[in-house]
Amino acid sequence: MQKKKLVYIWSLRNAAADKAGQNVAYKDGTRYMKSVLESLAEALNQTELGQMYSLEKVIYDDDAELAIDREKLKDYGFSYEAGKRWFYPPDLQVQGRPANEFLLAIPSAYRRHGMQAPERIAGKSAFEKHLLDTLLELDADIVVLDGLLIILDELVRPGSLFHRKIVNIHPGVTRLESPYERRGAYATLDALYGARGQKVVNWQTMETVPVKPLYMTGASFHYVDNGIDSGEVIHDVLKTEIDKEDTILELRWNNFNRSLFPVLHEGLAKIYQSGRIQD
């Protein structure tokens, strides 16, 4: 089989919350918080994954006109600047090209409008149309979402051109039948509370109820549908042990390295070898 063209889409503000590209406090020292993109670059450069896929573009949706995005990215900015903090080493290469050459901003500008505003609905549609046009121009075979902080709609509906061509990596097991299932934006925190014998039933008030402690979490690689982490699972990994004394960043570091990076690499290999990526 020939190489498949891969497009990667993320929200920089999500990576900033993880302090990607920085050394973070870990127990009695520090550890480097590698971004998922840096891990993917290494796999494409150093493993057989590079014979299966060519990275075409790295798209991010952050909006420099939104104050909340500027605040979340104040330590990074919206594009690489020499001498400033960034999400991966500035000299990072992907298949022989500088990683920064792959970057493309397509802001989700519809978020400037209120939830019920007519402009938001039209803007969301326009945003997805922009993504669609870009993916078609790139002739993308598969699209990988990493921490994209929006829910796609038109792009992933049955019958759409990219239905079952868009996959997501999630820092939690998404199978409903698994006792370790952790869907949604609070998956890592949910797992940490679970190890402490608590279940958060309201994330606004942080109300909890007691549950049997679970000391493991993992990650899933799944198709994207119109729900929240509800698409068909292609591959999952459950290899992250939880210490109830972990901080959120300590658990995040553990889960990235033990489950999330492996689920991405193994999931991409699995879907390629299965022949499920259609031209």
Side-chain angles (χ1 to χ4, degrees):
M1 292 174 65
Q2 64 182 8
K3 283 188 181 183
K4 299 299 183 181
K5 295 180 179 179
L6 186 156
V7 175
Y8 183 94
I9 305 180
W10 63 344
S11 296
L12 301 182
R13 55 197 184 279
N14 188 60
D18 289 330
K19 300 188 181 300
Q22 302 183 46
N23 289 317
V24 299
Y26 188 97
K27 306 305 179 188
D28 57 352
T30 61
R31 291 191 180 179
Y32 176 68
M33 186 68 81
K34 183 184 296 182
S35 68
V36 182
L37 178 58
E38 184 178 348
S39 174
L40 175 61
E42 292 173 348
L44 291 173
N45 292 340
Q46 301 168 13
T47 75
E48 291 184 355
L49 213 59
Q51 302 304 312
M52 301 175 188
Y53 297 96
S54 63
L55 183 64
E56 301 298 314
K57 195 64 70 176
V58 174
I59 297 171
Y60 57 97
D61 80 303
D62 307 271
D63 184 3
E65 298 299 316
L66 265 175
I68 189 170
D69 285 11
R70 292 196 300 271
E71 173 62 24
K72 290 180 178 179
L73 289 171
K74 62 183 179 181
D75 294 331
Y76 291 90
F78 290 81
S79 61
Y80 172 72
E81 296 180 38
K84 288 189 65 176
R85 183 174 293 162
W86 196 235
F87 299 97
Y88 47 77
D91 59 351
L92 181 68
Q93 299 268 320
V94 187
Q95 297 177 314
R97 289 176 54 195
N100 289 327
E101 289 186 1
F102 291 88
L103 297 176
L104 173 66
I106 301 182
S108 48
Y110 68 88
R111 294 182 295 118
R112 300 173 192 176
H113 304 287
M115 293 298 293
Q116 305 304 319
E119 296 90 344
R120 188 180 181 97
I121 297 172
K124 174 72 178 301
S125 183
F127 169 73
E128 292 204 39
K129 178 64 164 54
H130 193 171
L131 282 180
L132 173 62
D133 290 344
T134 303
L135 296 176
L136 290 173
E137 182 180 343
L138 294 168
D139 196 22
D141 294 307
I142 185 169
V143 181
V144 174
L145 307 186
D146 162 31
L148 183 65
L149 296 176
I150 60 174
I151 298 175
L152 296 177
D153 180 19
E154 298 172 23
L155 267 176
V156 297
R157 289 177 184 171
S160 64
L161 291 174
F162 282 89
H163 177 60
R164 292 178 71 82
K165 288 188 175 185
I166 301 180
V167 296
N168 182 53
I169 49 170
H170 177 70
V173 173
T174 61
R175 295 181 190 271
L176 286 177
E177 67 270 23
S178 171
Y180 300 97
E181 179 264 326
R182 308 285 182 190
R183 293 185 180 183
Y186 300 104
T188 305
L189 191 57
D190 194 19
L192 186 55
Y193 269 90
R196 296 170 179 170
Q198 297 175 306
K199 175 67 177 177
V200 178
V201 294
N202 186 315
W203 289 105
Q204 280 66 52
T205 65
M206 298 305 293
E207 177 188 356
T208 63
V209 295
V211 293
K212 178 182 178 181
L214 292 175
Y215 299 103
M216 293 289 292
T217 192
S220 287
F221 181 83
H222 64 88
Y223 288 113
V224 178
D225 60 15
N226 294 120
I228 298 176
D229 304 320
S230 55
E232 177 191 340
V233 176
I234 300 164
H235 186 55
D236 48 24
V237 173
L238 181 69
K239 292 186 176 178
T240 307
E241 296 181 1
I242 307 172
D243 181 336
K244 64 182 182 180
E245 301 303 322
D246 282 340
T247 66
I248 188 68
L249 282 180
E250 287 169 347
L251 179 53
R252 200 76 165 162
W253 189 97
N254 290 337
N255 201 34
F256 274 30
N257 285 273
R258 298 171 188 172
S259 295
L260 192 69
F261 298 161
V263 88
L264 174 60
H265 305 164
E266 295 166 13
L268 282 171
K270 184 174 182 178
I271 197 173
Y272 180 92
Q273 293 162 352
S274 73
R276 284 193 277 177
I277 303 175
Q278 302 298 316
D279 295 323

